[in-house]
Amino acid sequence: MSCSKEKTFADDIVLTFPKETKMKTQEFNEDSNEEGENLIYIGKIKSNIDVKYYRNLLEPPPPPPYFSESEKDYLLRMQKLEDSIQKDKNPFFRNEKFPFLYSKNDNSLDSLSNKNLQFIVKENDTIPLYKEDYDTKVIKKYYAFPVFIKNICDKILRIPTESKSTALYIYDDNLEKFYFTRNSNYMICGIGSDSYSYFELKPNEILIYAYPYFKSGTKRKAKMKFYNASSKEFEISIDENIIKNQRDKRYE
């Protein structure tokens, strides 16, 4: 008797990218000097979606005008700069601006959980994750797998713009708990602000993220999380040195 997986909305979505794309496994701490988000898509379900990423969720401020530069010349220079950037990155990153909104506080945010989000991980599918090195400007192409998130409730959900990706949790057999795992151990610092930025996910709309494969090793039980929403458990192969080099273990 054979068992078949239950069909999901993600099964009808084809993620398209050049098949000759040469990819590599992301090394530990390699992402510490890279630009580019892990978010591929926001919007209605479509049968075909290009694997392109948002360059930034929150765009950095533009460079200041030169001394004695007129406003007209400054705007022209900024447009030429933007056109040049878009031309170089067009095969890898999305041209449209990220649709974020602002609020004075986050008290009205919905509780993001499995009650309002359906969470599908395609851990055996391989797609490229594009990142640009800040110093060399080289586009890196990592082996990654897609993660699909769907709004299954009847109201608009607010998604904080700090949601740059989903999170991987590995099972600790000794404590019988899952803990947060990263492919790096450098410190992440936040910046305080009086305003709160978010984007909207309407009913039946989806998010698609990519998550890089780790260097392979021992098979571990794992799951992905997005705030309080969790995927089903799956197996992942992960080098034991990545586990040992975690800065700390943050359990569920």
Side-chain angles (χ1 to χ4, degrees):
M1 181 182 294
S2 62
C3 297
S4 59
K5 289 186 176 180
E6 181 182 353
K7 186 177 175 63
T8 71
F9 73 90
D11 296 329
D12 295 325
I13 300 173
V14 176
L15 298 179
T16 305
F17 61 93
K19 298 305 177 185
E20 67 276 9
T21 300
K22 294 182 179 180
M23 295 172 266
K24 58 165 286 189
T25 302
Q26 186 185 65
E27 297 292 334
F28 190 75
N29 273 348
E30 190 174 359
D31 64 343
S32 62
N33 192 43
E34 295 175 342
E35 179 184 30
E37 308 294 348
N38 289 51
L39 181 58
I40 299 173
Y41 180 75
I42 312 168
K44 297 179 180 179
I45 294 176
K46 300 194 298 186
S47 58
N48 285 274
I49 295 174
D50 288 336
V51 177
K52 289 187 177 185
Y53 296 86
Y54 284 92
R55 193 174 68 200
N56 296 289
L57 298 191
L58 295 175
E59 291 287 341
Y66 295 141
F67 180 72
S68 299
E69 184 178 29
S70 69
E71 182 178 0
K72 181 180 178 180
D73 289 342
Y74 173 71
L75 293 176
L76 183 60
R77 180 166 63 87
M78 289 299 98
Q79 186 59 56
K80 287 182 178 180
L81 176 63
E82 182 65 21
D83 290 344
S84 174
I85 291 173
Q86 298 295 8
K87 181 180 178 181
D88 290 341
K89 299 183 179 181
N90 185 59
F92 314 107
F93 299 102
R94 294 184 172 274
N95 289 328
E96 62 264 32
K97 298 294 184 180
F98 191 78
F100 65 86
L101 302 167
Y102 284 107
S103 175
K104 288 295 183 182
N105 58 66
D106 61 354
N107 294 332
S108 61
L109 286 178
D110 300 277
S111 176
L112 302 173
S113 70
N114 291 98
K115 292 182 179 180
N116 47 34
L117 294 172
Q118 185 179 3
F119 204 132
I120 306 296
V121 177
K122 295 281 189 177
E123 71 275 10
N124 294 318
D125 291 356
T126 300
I127 60 173
L129 172 61
Y130 302 124
K131 297 284 183 176
E132 182 188 35
D133 188 286
Y134 278 115
D135 295 328
T136 66
K137 304 303 179 183
V138 170
I139 301 293
K140 298 181 179 180
K141 304 163 188 176
Y142 296 124
Y143 289 108
F145 57 87
V147 178
F148 301 81
I149 300 172
K150 180 182 179 182
N151 181 355
I152 56 173
C153 70
D154 59 0
K155 61 180 179 179
I156 295 174
L157 299 177
R158 287 187 176 185
I159 311 294
T161 49
E162 67 183 24
S163 307
K164 295 178 179 293
S165 184
T166 51
L168 176 69
Y169 279 71
I170 299 294
Y171 190 71
D172 188 325
D173 294 305
N174 295 322
L175 295 180
E176 298 183 339
K177 292 181 179 180
F178 284 90
Y179 61 92
F180 175 56
T181 306
R182 297 172 60 224
N183 199 23
S184 55
N185 63 2
Y186 59 88
M187 185 70 73
I188 298 177
C189 299
I191 300 176
S193 175
D194 293 333
S195 61
Y196 183 85
S197 60
Y198 64 94
F199 61 95
E200 294 184 335
L201 189 66
K202 298 175 183 177
N204 295 315
E205 286 190 337
I206 63 171
L207 302 172
I208 305 176
Y209 288 92
Y211 201 87
Y213 284 108
F214 290 179
K215 186 176 181 180
S216 62
T218 306
K219 284 192 174 181
R220 295 273 190 157
K221 186 164 66 172
K223 64 181 177 180
M224 304 296 295
K225 294 196 68 176
F226 187 78
Y227 293 91
N228 293 321
S230 298
S231 74
K232 292 181 179 179
E233 295 175 10
F234 58 92
E235 277 194 339
I236 188 172
S237 179
I238 182 170
D239 186 348
E240 287 298 313
N241 287 321
I242 294 176
I243 301 295
K244 294 176 183 177
N245 288 327
Q246 296 296 297
R247 181 176 289 273
D248 54 26
K249 285 188 176 180
R250 288 173 19 211
Y251 289 89
E252 283 188 307

